[in-house]
Amino acid sequence: MLGQSIPSLTSRTWQEQLSYQMTQPEEFLDFVQLDEHWLPAAKRAAELFPLRVSHAYASRIEKGNPQDPLLLQVLPLQRELQSSPGFTTDPLDERNFNPVPGLIHKYHGRILLIAAPHCAINCRYCFRRHFDYSHNTPSRQEWQVALDYIAQRKEVDEVILSGGDPLVLGDKQLAWLLDALAKLPQIERVRIHTRLPIVLPDRITPKILEIFSRQQTDIVFVIHCNHRQEIDTRVTRALADLRSAGVTLLNQTVLLKSINDNANILISLSKELFRCGVLPYYLHLLDRVSGTSHFNVSEHHARQLRDELLAQLPGYLVPKLVKEEPGASSKSPIA
Ligand SMILES: *Cc1c(COP(=O)(O)O)cnc(C)c1O
Ligand code: SF4
């Protein structure tokens, strides 16, 4: 009976998938077939930063495998409750670059807008796990203040929609924002930082593709994919559709201990991304956010991995290894 009243995963719209996301540790552990000894810690850690995962993503997790590289990105663990020296709540010092609500202006020529208050997934290592979204999710009226700020800065030719995930916005809101940006004559590119093509590929609907293909400005997506296992046939199709709509596709990866800190895994990811029409852009060292130190990979090991990628891949499939340092004028390359 239950099966009749709830539409099956494949027939749900993206909005339904977003509202049926798993947020309860019990339900998630049951879905991935892990036993209840994981539950107390998962509940405690989820109180600090909620569990959130789409069925589309969870279905790519191998059942019953506590080491699965996708599982480890979303399962709340006891280790998140430990504090570690050097890991703080705002390591990027974003508060000092937040001149108006919803806007971060740190680098020359580009401005980042916090376009949405949440993502379709909560990655446990997220650098925004402590971000104050409540004061940074503008209403349409408040957007005008951000748009005026951008309009006054003639050197800014690119706006980055980030979040949260800008694609959790509905089509109307997104189209309104893109149209408002297109009216600013100096804006040449709009970049969208999104994990939705990976975690909720059904978000890439014919309607949103039409919105992108009619834009005057160039549209660049920076997707976020950390492991080849995150890419299934539905993801591949969403990426192909975006390419057909004229969207430039780049990827950023966070280097994560026990998940992708291995040359073969990174090589296989770069090759698979290229097959999907996506070029590797950044390989980020973890931001030192409290509750995430167990994901940290040392700079020394990161360099070794990068050197191995350079030795084995064409140059264009090697992402730039970077870290973010407060006060720097760009992401800092690791030499
Ligand atoms: C990462 C980031 C950007 C974009 O940097 P690129 O090197 O152009 O990708 C812009 N603004 C902020 C606040 C950022 O964190
Ligand atoms: S998709 Fe990005 S912003 Fe969203 S939770 Fe994951 S790391 Fe954070």
Side-chain angles (χ1 to χ4, degrees):
M1 284 312 282
L2 207 62
Q4 283 172 0
S5 55
I6 300 177
S8 77
L9 178 62
T10 45
S11 65
R12 285 177 189 168
T13 64
W14 72 268
Q15 291 95 334
E16 286 169 334
Q17 292 181 46
L18 203 57
S19 54
Y20 286 127
Q21 276 183 320
M22 283 183 263
T23 54
Q24 298 307 314
E26 289 90 338
E27 184 195 7
F28 178 61
L29 288 173
D30 190 49
F31 186 88
V32 297
Q33 295 175 15
L34 287 183
D35 66 52
E36 60 201 26
H37 92 266
W38 296 89
L39 188 59
K43 279 183 150 170
R44 275 197 297 275
E47 275 169 26
L48 289 183
F49 182 51
L51 169 86
R52 186 196 282 272
V53 58
S54 63
H55 282 83
Y57 191 83
S59 66
R60 298 172 213 147
I61 294 171
E62 188 193 341
K63 306 271 193 234
N65 176 8
Q67 301 306 325
D68 182 277
L70 278 56
L71 176 84
L72 294 175
Q73 294 182 54
V74 294
L75 178 64
L77 293 177
Q78 183 71 29
R79 277 172 284 184
E80 295 175 27
L81 306 172
Q82 291 162 7
S83 61
S84 290
F87 285 71
T88 64
T89 54
D90 182 23
L92 310 185
D93 195 22
E94 287 193 329
R95 256 162 264 171
N96 280 329
F97 297 91
N98 196 194
V100 302
L103 184 152
I104 299 174
H105 189 188
K106 257 166 91 167
Y107 300 154
H108 179 84
R110 52 233 196 266
I111 277 177
L112 186 147
L113 294 180
I114 307 288
H118 60 84
C119 295
I121 188 167
N122 280 348
C123 309
R124 305 315 297 173
Y125 47 83
C126 184
F127 69 109
R128 294 239 164 86
R129 54 182 285 155
H130 304 285
F131 190 77
D132 181 7
Y133 282 117
S134 62
H135 290 100
N136 275 290
T137 45
S139 63
R140 202 169 274 198
Q141 217 168 23
E142 288 169 315
W143 273 124
Q144 203 49 56
V145 181
L147 291 166
D148 292 344
Y149 178 96
I150 300 169
Q152 284 156 25
R153 280 160 183 83
K154 298 296 175 214
E155 81 285 3
V156 171
D157 64 0
E158 175 165 341
V159 172
I160 301 169
L161 304 184
S162 183
D165 199 305
L167 294 192
V168 305
L169 295 178
D171 293 337
K172 270 203 196 118
Q173 268 178 299
L174 193 67
W176 178 86
L177 196 52
L178 291 174
D179 290 342
L181 291 171
K183 287 198 189 100
L184 304 175
Q186 85 273 30
I187 300 302
E188 293 179 14
R189 296 174 305 281
V190 175
R191 196 195 313 181
I192 298 184
H193 281 187
T194 175
R195 194 146 154 69
L196 255 68
I198 301 294
V199 305
L200 203 81
D202 287 345
R203 175 66 185 99
I204 307 306
T205 57
K207 173 77 192 153
I208 204 175
L209 290 166
E210 192 246 304
I211 292 173
F212 292 136
S213 54
R214 74 167 138 87
Q215 293 304 309
Q216 306 277 310
T217 53
D218 284 315
I219 304 284
V220 181
F221 266 45
V222 180
I223 65 166
H224 169 186
C225 182
N226 295 324
H227 196 285
R228 186 190 166 144
Q229 193 183 317
E230 292 177 13
I231 302 175
D232 66 5
T233 51
R234 183 64 193 91
V235 171
T236 304
R237 184 147 42 90
L239 295 171
D241 289 346
L242 285 163
R243 288 255 293 168
S244 305
V247 174
T248 300
L249 297 176
L250 305 172
N251 179 61
Q252 52 186 343
T253 295
V254 183
L255 190 56
L256 298 164
K257 191 171 181 177
S258 309
I259 292 172
N260 60 12
D261 59 335
N262 166 296
N264 290 335
I265 288 175
L266 294 171
I267 288 168
S268 148
L269 173 61
S270 270
K271 290 182 176 175
E272 183 65 15
L273 286 166
F274 185 76
R275 265 180 233 120
C276 296
V278 185
L279 284 173
Y281 179 36
Y282 280 141
L283 178 60
H284 293 271
L285 289 183
L286 190 74
D287 296 317
R288 298 170 93 74
V289 181
S290 48
T292 68
S293 63
H294 53 291
F295 289 113
N296 196 46
V297 175
S298 72
E299 248 180 73
H300 176 71
H301 187 211
R303 267 193 216 102
Q304 286 176 330
L305 291 169
R306 190 260 326 271
D307 292 347
E308 202 154 332
L309 262 56
L310 281 170
Q312 298 208 32
L313 285 171
Y316 60 89
L317 292 188
V318 181
K320 286 184 257 245
L321 178 64
V322 293
K323 67 174 171 185
E324 195 145 351
E325 290 174 313
S329 60
S330 71
K331 314 277 184 236
S332 309
I334 307 294

